[in-house]
Amino acid sequence: SESNSHVTMAAAAVAGLIGGDFSDLREIKKQLLSVAERSRERGLQASELAFALEPLPLGDLPPPPPLTEEDARDLDAYTLAKSYFDLKEYDRAAYFLRGCKSQKAYFLYMYSRYLSGEKKKDDETVDSLGPLEKGQVKNEALRELRVELSKKHKARELDGFGLYLYGVVLRKLDLVKEAIDVFVEAAHVLPLHWGAWLELCNLITDKEMLKFLSLPDTWMKEFFLAHIYTELQLIEEALQKYQSLIDAGFAKSTYIISQIAVAYHNIRDIDKALSIFNELRKQDPYRIENMDTFSNLLYVRSMKPELSYLAHNLCEIDKYRVETCCVIGNYYSLRSQHEKAALYFQRALKLNPRYLGAWTLMGHEYMEMKNTSAAIQAYRHAIEVNKRDYRAWYGLGQTYEILKMPFYCLYYYRRAHQLRPNDSRMLVALGECYEKLNQLVEAKKCYWRAYAVGDVEKMALVKLAKLHEQLNESEQAAQCYVKYIQDIYSCGEIVEHLEVSTAFRYLAQYYFKCKLWDEASACAQKCCAFNDTREEGKALLRQILQLRNQGENSSTEISASFFLPASTPVGLTKRP
């Protein structure tokens, strides 16, 4: 729940080192330990970043935070309330903190009230039996907290932690612009408290927004930029940042390792992402965070035993975590038990209605179950939570495609393409849309661009060739088919590509028309290797033989650059 999600990557109140300066790791470690202590006093969780650095000798350990007169007066109430807070008795903790004046006790008082409201909201959501609706249940404490915190804010009485909590309350009330301003202020006042930075990551939707933020110049900003670049799909920049953080001395940080794995997942470098996740599991075997992303990769690779093992393993660790529910959902989906999968994604959303991945995955399951209206609703929720989720925009495009509404479809695919300009799947989908709307020039551009950026599904050239065929541009169509066949064979994979036979059939006929008997007969022989083109291939071979016997010579007009690759490995053609 909420207290888990505000994991604070511990750091110090004072910025200390400027910019991306990591020359004094001992000083950084001191700052991390110092803010970790201050975070713990307030019921926030300090993260593992300090653990990634070498331990300090006793003489170098930072002193405990100094006590003020107010701290001394509130000490008894604070100590009692903190023990109730740790037992998750939030109302009880807040009751004993009423009237406390010290910054530390005041924060714990407000935070207890906030978490009490969140807990009641979560309990009510889980108890509600009706259909899952976002925002059905609200945290009743938020409005009061906002009024009280805004008075303190105007009077400049909030410290960095207080500003952070005020920002969270504003964000929960959907006051995004105000929340961003407050989080930026919190980052200035307490630059090395990760909570405020992480909240900012969730609110910044594009690079333009990032440019206009005035952020403090501290080494923590490097972690923030790497994280936001990953979120904004600027993966190369993100990986460069993470590499420089590892080189700076954070090689042991499981946070950084997991972020690198997520970055590779985002650019669909599946093998690299899988190997990093496996390494992460060795280093941190009881980790649940990011394991849903790991399960997405196992799902894409259809690795049933590994996904089954991961699901059982996470169930043993904590079966009531959102990530666990998503992993189990993916497991059932891979086994084509879509109703059961949807049930687990719903369970994840009852635990946390703002959990983006589960909305998108649930949309996919409804698509599998042919329930388009429920799929549309799920994808829309995903977009409400995060407008940067290209999978939800793409999913909406697919649902409207099924509903045969190409104009809607075009809008959603365009949005997906804007978020992932170099993803060939979005471009192919856009091309298909333009084709349906008879905008063939646009369609051709999309297919060509999909091929140029690296066509994942190896379908763009075939679609482009078929368009050229439609427009009677036989030379261009033939070129596309030749490129397509070269592409398929250069993969080195044994691909079961239906369109390979189509390509050979077209080329055989094309070369036949051009009176290039050798090339035509080579392609016709390839056709004989496929069930669907075998008869045509044989017929064409007979015709060629007949014409040759009649003394028809081969033409030499066509440029040879056009011909098939000399060796097309036999193993790659589909055996009858």
Side-chain angles (χ1 to χ4, degrees), residues 285-355:
Y286 292 94
R287 181 189 187 92
I288 291 183
E289 227 178 325
N290 308 113
M291 287 303 119
D292 49 339
T293 307
F294 183 32
S295 79
N296 290 343
L297 294 162
L298 295 173
Y299 178 92
V300 170
R301 276 277 187 266
S302 299
M303 296 165 83
K304 263 189 203 165
E306 291 84 347
L307 189 50
S308 167
Y309 175 76
L310 181 67
H312 282 102
N313 187 235
L314 294 186
C315 238
E316 280 169 21
I317 300 167
D318 184 353
K319 66 177 177 188
Y320 293 113
R321 273 283 287 275
V322 179
E323 294 91 339
T324 306
C325 294
C326 286
V327 171
I328 298 170
N330 271 339
Y331 169 66
Y332 281 122
S333 182
L334 190 56
R335 294 183 55 177
S336 300
Q337 292 175 265
H338 299 296
E339 285 86 352
K340 228 168 181 178
L343 202 69
Y344 273 94
F345 294 134
Q346 278 187 334
R347 186 177 287 183
L349 289 162
K350 286 205 163 186
L351 291 168
N352 179 2
R354 288 190 68 81
Y355 198 75

Side-chain angles (χ1 to χ4, degrees), residues 490-511:
S490 66
C491 284
E493 295 171 35
I494 306 294
V495 270
E496 295 271 309
H497 248 260
L498 289 174
E499 300 293 346
V500 172
S501 58
T502 314
F504 279 126
R505 178 204 285 147
Y506 184 83
L507 286 169
Q509 288 164 350
Y510 173 74
Y511 290 135

Side-chain angles (χ1 to χ4, degrees), residues 458 485-496 569 571-572:
K458 301 266 178 276
I485 288 169
Q486 286 170 337
D487 255 27
I488 292 292
Y489 290 146
S490 66
C491 284
E493 295 171 35
I494 306 294
V495 270
E496 295 271 309
L572 289 168

